[in-house]
Amino acid sequence: MLEWMKNVRKVDPYVPGEQPNDSNMIKLNTNENPYPPSPKVINKKLELEKLRLYSDPEVTELVCALADYHGLDKSQVFVGVGSDDVLAMSFMTFFNSDKPVLFPDITYSFYDVWAKLLNIPYETKALDEDFRIVPEDYYVDNGGVVFPNPNAPTSIYMQLDKIRNILDNNRDVVVIVDEAYIDYAGESALSLIDEYDNLLVVRTFSKSRSMAGMRIGYAMGNAELIKALNCVKFSFNSYTMNSLQIVLGVESVKDDEYFKEIIDKVRNTREWFSKELTRLGFTYPESATNFVFATHKSISAKELFEAAKREHIYIRYFDKPRIDNYLRITIGTDEEMRKVVDFLESYI
């Protein structure tokens, strides 16, 4: 081994969903929204000559737009380059104890990657046999708690009273609720941030706002949490958000009517597709997201995954304990989902 290689940090990286370059594909493997962003985003006149200037390091325009939208003060909002950036900053900022951070065993697979990268001790808590988080498992001494709601890849939403129970038993550490899919689900934990000063709620523009390629995420919590996040951000990279992200993010927030219309379209397609899966012999948890997490009664998930790929239909397969016979299928347009049903019906 070369001497310098001894000091290279070695990590097992997060593996994102495949991004194929296939002109005839149906791409349902990374939970993108099948519809375009708001027309306000698409039609916004951009002053590209201003790109010679640095962007606003405090992201003031977008922070204020999000604060107004959610009924918050701007001191309660932090914006980053996608929710992955916001979550990574949050791990760096809040999880610095010698005690382990807690998160589910089946969950967003970036959590353990960040923990290992940043040398943060962690423990996973097993979901129950129905893939649900068990709040009592988090009533132990720890260095912080993080979980998605709804959870991914299981698609299951946890009611607010259970989140409250976790918070009540973790008053001395930061609890992060990752709400990437909350717009397709039930009530947000945002209603609790004034009651719990240790609660951080994280959102993204990638799913319901159809802006995965623009990379915008944000966090909401009490002003002290947000101040701490900004201190770490400015110590790491002052200009994390570029000018286009800020301008187009604001336009998306302005168009609430379109935002809600697209959510309803995805939900309606999800309900139809779920019924078709039942007819074809699949079972799945009730989805509160823009995807379905399904297993077939007689055909393995890996076989279906590979067969679908041969037909240019891309879905997600996880070769992991407990979920290696499940497929995560993003909800596309009605036309795309009809083609998926036709494929499954023919193959089965």
Side-chain angles (χ1 to χ4, degrees):
M1 178 184 291
L2 295 173
E3 191 65 27
W4 59 265
M5 291 184 67
K6 297 176 182 179
N7 298 315
V8 173
R9 187 183 297 276
K10 297 175 181 63
V11 294
D12 293 321
Y14 170 75
V15 180
E18 184 178 0
Q19 296 290 341
N21 184 18
D22 184 342
S23 59
N24 299 314
M25 68 180 174
I26 298 176
K27 187 173 182 295
L28 306 174
N29 65 330
T30 51
N31 297 343
E32 294 144 325
N33 198 307
Y35 301 105
S38 159
K40 290 182 183 291
V41 173
I42 294 171
N43 298 323
K44 175 67 175 176
K45 183 179 178 181
L46 300 172
E47 299 176 278
L48 297 180
E49 68 276 7
K50 289 188 176 180
L51 292 180
R52 69 182 183 82
L53 303 172
Y54 283 112
S55 57
D56 173 14
E58 295 183 354
V59 200
T60 305
E61 188 179 4
L62 182 52
V63 165
C64 288
L66 288 165
D68 289 344
Y69 183 79
H70 290 292
L72 302 172
D73 187 84
K74 67 178 183 179
S75 66
Q76 295 176 287
V77 178
F78 173 88
V79 176
V81 186
S83 60
D84 286 343
D85 177 51
V86 175
L87 287 163
M89 290 285 177
S90 299
F91 270 59
M92 281 193 280
T93 305
F94 303 119
F95 296 158
N96 290 290
S97 168
D98 293 333
K99 300 172 184 177
V101 171
L102 308 180
F103 48 84
D105 64 334
I106 301 172
T107 194
Y108 186 31
S109 52
F110 228 141
Y111 296 160
D112 64 329
V113 173
W114 286 319
K116 292 171 185 174
L117 179 65
L118 298 168
N119 293 319
I120 298 169
Y122 72 93
E123 290 180 7
T124 60
K125 299 297 181 181
L127 301 181
D128 70 15
E129 60 183 9
D130 296 318
F131 292 144
R132 296 185 179 278
I133 290 172
V134 181
E136 292 78 9
D137 289 345
Y138 298 82
Y139 300 176
V140 295
D141 199 25
N142 64 73
V145 176
V146 57
F147 58 87
N149 193 41
N151 197 7
T154 64
S155 80
I156 295 174
Y157 171 74
M158 182 165 60
Q159 297 294 330
L160 212 57
D161 60 334
K162 294 185 177 180
I163 294 178
R164 184 184 289 278
N165 289 343
I166 292 173
L167 287 162
D168 284 337
N169 286 274
N170 287 279
R171 290 281 191 169
D172 297 328
V173 298
V174 172
V175 176
I176 301 174
V177 181
D178 181 358
E179 292 191 336
Y181 302 98
I182 195 64
D183 297 313
Y184 301 104
E187 188 177 0
S188 166
L190 184 60
S191 61
L192 303 177
I193 64 171
D194 290 332
E195 185 177 350
Y196 297 93
D197 61 5
N198 60 326
L199 169 62
L200 192 73
V201 176
V202 177
R203 300 271 189 92
T204 178
F205 279 48
S206 297
K207 316 302 180 186
S208 50
R209 291 193 179 275
S210 305
M211 295 179 72
M214 189 51 64
R215 312 307 302 129
I216 302 173
Y218 60 107
M220 298 170 286
N222 88 75
E224 289 302 315
L225 290 179
I226 301 305
K227 181 180 178 181
L229 269 174
N230 275 311
C231 285
V232 170
K233 168 197 163 178
F234 287 125
S235 301
F236 187 77
N237 180 2
S238 297
Y239 302 101
T240 56
M241 300 294 292
N242 67 54
S243 300
L244 300 183
Q245 289 171 305
I246 297 169
V247 170
L248 298 182
V250 169
E251 293 305 311
S252 176
V253 175
K254 286 180 180 178
D255 199 350
D256 198 43
E257 182 179 354
Y258 180 83
F259 171 62
K260 290 174 179 173
E261 175 190 339
I262 295 305
I263 290 170
D264 286 341
K265 288 178 74 169
V266 172
R267 280 175 174 161
N268 290 338
T269 306
R270 180 188 70 195
E271 298 314 304
W272 173 83
F273 180 65
S274 296
K275 291 175 183 176
E276 290 297 296
L277 287 180
T278 299
R279 179 177 66 83
L280 293 171
F282 288 86
T283 56
Y284 46 85
E286 182 180 355
S287 175
T289 60
N290 67 336
F291 61 87
V292 180
F293 190 59
T295 183
H296 193 264
K297 62 183 179 182
S298 58
I299 304 176
S300 76
K302 187 174 184 180
E303 178 183 343
L304 285 169
F305 164 76
E306 292 172 346
K309 190 172 181 178
R310 289 194 293 270
E311 298 299 318
H312 308 280
I313 298 171
Y314 293 85
I315 53 183
R316 194 75 189 267
Y317 169 69
F318 298 93
D319 188 10
K320 294 183 175 182
R322 297 185 67 191
I323 60 172
D324 60 353
N325 202 31
Y326 282 80
L327 296 169
R328 194 192 69 188
I329 307 171
T330 304
I331 301 301
T333 63
D334 289 347
E335 180 183 5
E336 287 175 327
M337 303 318 290
R338 280 194 291 270
K339 289 180 179 178
V340 173
V341 168
D342 289 345
F343 155 74
L344 290 172
E345 191 162 37
S346 173
Y347 189 83
I348 292 167

